[in-house]
Amino acid sequence: MSRHDEIQSAYQFLGREATFYDGMITCSTLPGRAVCRLVWNMNRAKNAESLDLAMAGVPETFSGRLLEAPVGTGVLTMPVYRTLPRAEITCLDVSAAMMAKARRRAASMGLSNVSFRQGDVGALPFPDGSFDAVLSLNGFHAFPDKDAAYRETHRVLKPGGIFCGCFYVKGENRRTDWFIEKLYVPKGFFTPPFETADSLRRRLAGMYRRAEVRTVESMACFRCEKGGEP
């Protein structure tokens, strides 16, 4: 079963715990699929592709220390963490309400290797070089201090560690850009300024030994390796 299939399968058992947001980012409900199509020009195949690319830096055999920041409701990652029993996973979010949903999902799946900590990605409460991988899904477009978030995620990675994930970049789809500017920013869902695919490539290439960025519509999916001796 692919990771996207794992997420889809787990979503079906959420019941009343599921939110509109969950349905949208998993492309699993009729309203969610409508938003994906209208705002993001994404269908389930494109959604699956973007998630696979975003999580490519965390292999199925991963057994190190992983930080997910932000964790959100955990709908995308708790099913994946169920397949990584040898990994030590820390999930962080500034929102206690979002993290509470993720915590309940982890408990319902019996995930004893996942811990939670409330905090700001721009001021991570961990020593330098604490993690073998940092995963960030759909977060950087919302962070108010993006420069601090880039610095902190780099800082807490070990040399040779992997930084991967995805977020919105402008300039890939005019309709998506319009919705972001007219709806998402005024509602406080997203916070400018936003990267373009090219500016993100330049930024990550300047920080990491290897950096790859691929776009699926307006989602930039990235995988980076920190320099230095592991």
Side-chain angles (χ1 to χ4, degrees):
M1 183 180 291
S2 72
R3 285 182 166 176
H4 188 258
D5 290 337
E6 289 276 359
I7 293 166
Q8 291 285 321
S9 177
Y11 180 85
Q12 305 308 315
F13 294 97
L14 291 180
R16 299 172 71 179
E17 182 74 14
T19 66
F20 175 80
Y21 172 81
D22 296 332
M24 180 184 67
I25 63 172
T26 59
C27 209
S28 298
T29 62
L30 184 59
R33 289 193 293 273
V35 171
C36 284
R37 174 65 72 180
L38 177 63
V39 177
W40 298 96
N41 196 36
M42 300 265 263
N43 55 23
R44 294 182 73 171
K46 288 182 179 180
N47 180 261
E49 180 186 3
S50 67
L51 289 176
D52 286 343
L53 289 172
M55 296 187 190
V58 184
E60 295 179 0
T61 56
F62 183 81
S63 60
R65 297 192 67 201
L66 182 147
L67 171 67
E68 183 185 1
V71 66
T73 66
V75 69
L76 292 176
T77 49
M78 295 307 133
V80 174
Y81 297 156
R82 186 168 54 183
T83 70
L84 301 175
R86 297 171 57 203
E88 182 182 342
I89 298 160
T90 302
C91 297
L92 178 140
D93 206 294
V94 71
S95 169
M98 296 277 272
M99 195 162 59
K101 292 181 183 295
R103 191 190 298 270
R104 287 196 294 271
R105 287 171 184 170
S108 71
M109 294 180 184
L111 301 182
S112 60
N113 62 329
V114 179
S115 62
F116 295 86
R117 185 159 179 178
Q118 187 173 5
D120 181 359
V121 182
L124 290 171
F126 309 108
D128 295 357
S130 294
F131 297 96
D132 300 288
V134 174
L135 174 65
S136 185
L137 301 174
N138 304 310
F140 270 76
H141 50 233
F143 298 153
D145 190 343
K146 295 175 176 59
D147 288 341
Y150 283 116
R151 288 195 302 270
E152 284 291 274
T153 48
H154 182 273
R155 179 185 66 78
V156 300
L157 266 179
K158 296 178 181 179
I162 299 297
F163 175 45
C164 62
C166 63
F167 58 84
Y168 161 74
V169 290
K170 66 181 181 180
E172 298 297 310
N173 185 295
R174 292 178 63 185
R175 187 173 71 216
T176 299
D177 293 344
W178 186 91
F179 275 103
I180 299 305
E181 179 185 353
K182 303 300 183 183
L183 180 61
Y184 284 48
V185 170
K187 290 289 187 180
F189 300 151
F190 288 14
T191 304
F194 301 114
E195 300 276 10
T196 65
D198 286 341
S199 72
L200 179 60
R201 288 187 181 97
R202 290 193 298 270
R203 181 191 287 270
L204 295 178
M207 298 180 69
Y208 290 90
R209 175 166 57 195
R210 297 187 184 90
E212 178 183 356
V213 176
R214 295 176 61 182
T215 58
V216 180
E217 296 297 336
S218 292
M219 294 302 293
C221 307
F222 57 91
R223 183 187 185 280
C224 313
E225 181 181 334
K226 186 174 179 178
E229 290 299 323

